[in-house]
Every structure is written in structure tokens, then in C-alpha cells.
Amino acid sequence: GFFQTYAVEVDIKDASNATCLYADWMMRFLITYESNNGDYKTTTLNLSSSVTHNGSVCGNDTQAALVAVQFGEGHSWSINITKNNETYQGDFIALTYNTNDTAVFPDAKRKGPVTVLVKDPLHPVQLNTVFVCHNSYFIEAENVTQIFWNVTMQAFVQNGTVSKKESRCPADTPTSAPTVPPTIANATTAFTTTSSPAPTTAPKPVENPDTGNYSLKSGNKTCFLATVGLQLNVSQDKPLVININPKTTVADGACGNTTATLKLNDGNSTLIGF
């Protein structure tokens, strides 16, 4: 199922009431946590309709800018952004989720706030340029997958006006002659919808997927083993078929007393969970 989440818009003003930092984006979080009976469950944390941005600051040549938002029952997210010569770049992203929120974390064994810190993987952006990423991209750390889409952000805004010059993320950049089917990230997460002209020739049938061996360890013992070939067939405006390549797919997850979770990431923003 797909869950309701809300867009966040942050417009930070300086002492002269001019915009110094602007950000507008959507995000959600997939979090694996341990329940009271030792099972591991994966839940979805979405933004609520009421989001505050207390603590956000403009930043300058010597101080990092900070976008900080608070939402729901004690959850918060922030990114600090540093300025270096002619560029700015996200430094660290911090997510704090509160397992006392029983609507999101029912029967959680660990109670209270949990903070996950991760390095921002995106490249630097030229000053006086707005960063834009319509397609979804994923950041994984520990037991959390952070998903972002429809992102527009500019730090260290000059003269109070957000630039019209854009720097696009790799996910938004089309390739000249693709030799593999397009990523299904948008189809599986329902974040955006794109349309393409109908092909003039019949599509080439997709061959059977290669078989992969995926395993998880608990200590030095294997607790989850899957030998499987995976092919995804997604129905949107037209069918989309893609094989999961074992050579580029990474297995992650956790084993509990009665439940195990296996997460597969194919390196193209496709996440599959068992």
C-alpha cells in the first residue's frame, strides 16, 4: 500500500527579512525495529500535516546552514549545509524517530528517541544555483531507508531571490541510448508519474532473470538464505518488466526469533523487501 505524506516548504529569512535558504521537498522513511517478542518489523514513517522548522539557520562563510524540521509525535529531521569557495553541499543528515509513537511503532521493544546520522552522498552545487531532483533517491544507514523526491533547495541564497539556474540530480538526467529497461523506482513507490511516446517497434522480450544467492548473518551464523531469480512486472500506463541483477544487488536486513526481514537493493533505487 501507499501511505500519505506531506510536502515540506522551508523559507528561512535573514536579519533584513530576505530569503537566505529555501527548500521544498517530500520524504518518507522505512524503519526496521525490534518488537517486544523479538521479531523485527518494518514500518513507514511519513511527514504529518503539521511540520515546524525550529532551529533552522541561514549560515554564512564560517557557519553551516541548517534545515531542521519537526513532525508527528517527537520525530525530527535535519541537514547541515556547508559553503566552500564557489559551491555548497549537504554535510550530515540526522533523523530522530521516537518509538514511543505507538501508531508508527506498535509494540516496540526499545522506547524513546533514536537518532541516525548519515553523510549526505550528493555532489556539491554551484552557488547561486538551485538543486532540483524530481525523481526519488534513497539513502540507507543502519536500519533506516530515507526516501526523497520532488526536491528543490538552495542554500546561501543571494539577494533574497531563489535562482532560476538549476543543478539536476543524476536520477533526473536522461541517458542518450539506454540498453536496459528504465528503473522502476517511480512505479513501485508511486512518487511521480512520467509518460513516454509509444514505441514504433515491438519491445524485445525480457529473458529469464539470473539466479542470485542472498544471505543474512546473525553473528557468525547464517540466519536467512534465499536462492532466487527475481523479475518485476509492473503495470502502469504500459507494462514494465525488469530483471534484478544479482551481481549488482546488495542484501541487508535482520533476523528475529520468529521473523526475518530481507531487503534487496539493486543499485538503481529499486528496493525489494521480504
Side-chain angles (χ1 to χ4, degrees):
F2 302 124
F3 301 88
Q4 177 67 46
T5 192
Y6 294 86
V8 186
E9 184 177 27
V10 177
D11 189 348
I12 308 301
K13 308 287 187 180
D14 60 17
S16 61
N17 201 35
T19 296
C20 61
L21 191 156
Y22 179 82
D24 187 355
W25 75 102
M26 299 187 77
M27 63 182 175
R28 66 159 53 98
F29 311 96
L30 303 180
I31 303 172
T32 301
Y33 68 98
E34 186 178 5
S35 65
N36 282 324
N37 62 7
D39 294 342
Y40 284 86
K41 301 179 179 180
T42 298
T43 188
T44 302
L45 174 61
N46 294 299
L47 295 179
S48 60
S49 58
S50 177
V51 179
T52 59
H53 53 83
N54 300 324
S56 299
V57 295
C58 293
N60 51 43
D61 290 341
T62 58
Q63 180 187 9
L66 179 68
V67 178
V69 295
Q70 303 83 36
F71 59 97
E73 300 296 325
H75 313 297
S76 62
W77 180 92
S78 67
I79 179 172
N80 68 310
I81 306 164
T82 55
K83 182 179 180 182
N84 183 16
N85 296 327
E86 298 301 318
T87 64
Y88 65 91
Q89 181 178 18
D91 191 6
F92 284 98
I93 295 173
L95 167 68
T96 296
Y97 59 91
N98 183 13
T99 57
N100 287 324
D101 185 352
T102 56
V104 181
F105 302 96
D107 198 30
K109 182 177 182 179
R110 178 179 178 180
K111 300 294 185 180
V114 180
T115 298
V116 175
L117 193 66
V118 60
K119 181 75 174 176
D120 183 6
L122 298 179
H123 296 297
V125 178
Q126 291 291 320
L127 291 175
N128 200 31
T129 302
V130 60
F131 172 75
V132 176
C133 192
H134 293 307
N135 284 288
S136 56
Y137 64 94
F138 301 76
I139 300 176
E140 293 188 80
E142 299 179 24
N143 59 328
V144 177
T145 299
Q146 304 186 41
I147 309 171
F148 305 89
W149 71 102
N150 286 350
V151 178
T152 300
M153 186 188 72
Q154 183 180 351
F156 308 101
V157 175
Q158 300 176 11
N159 302 320
T161 303
V162 176
S163 175
K164 297 185 181 299
K165 182 180 178 182
E166 295 183 353
S167 173
R168 288 297 188 111
C169 65
D172 282 3
T173 304
T175 55
S176 56
T179 57
V180 296
T183 176
I184 65 161
N186 289 337
T188 55
T189 54
F191 293 155
T192 59
T193 302
T194 58
S195 59
S196 303
T200 56
T201 59
K204 181 181 178 181
V206 178
E207 298 178 354
N208 289 334
D210 292 334
T211 300
N213 294 304
Y214 310 103
S215 63
L216 301 177
K217 287 187 177 295
S218 178
N220 60 357
K221 295 183 178 180
T222 298
C223 62
F224 194 119
L225 177 63
T227 301
V228 61
L230 292 170
Q231 182 180 90
L232 305 181
N233 190 323
V234 182
S235 296
Q236 303 190 101
D237 299 331
K238 58 183 180 180
L240 177 63
V241 179
I242 186 171
N243 287 337
I244 301 302
N245 184 358
K247 295 180 181 179
T248 60
T249 299
V250 178
D252 191 10
C255 296
N257 291 335
T258 59
T259 301
T261 300
L262 176 67
K263 295 190 298 182
L264 301 180
N265 186 338
D266 77 338
N268 290 317
S269 299
T270 301
L271 297 177
I272 306 173
F274 297 93

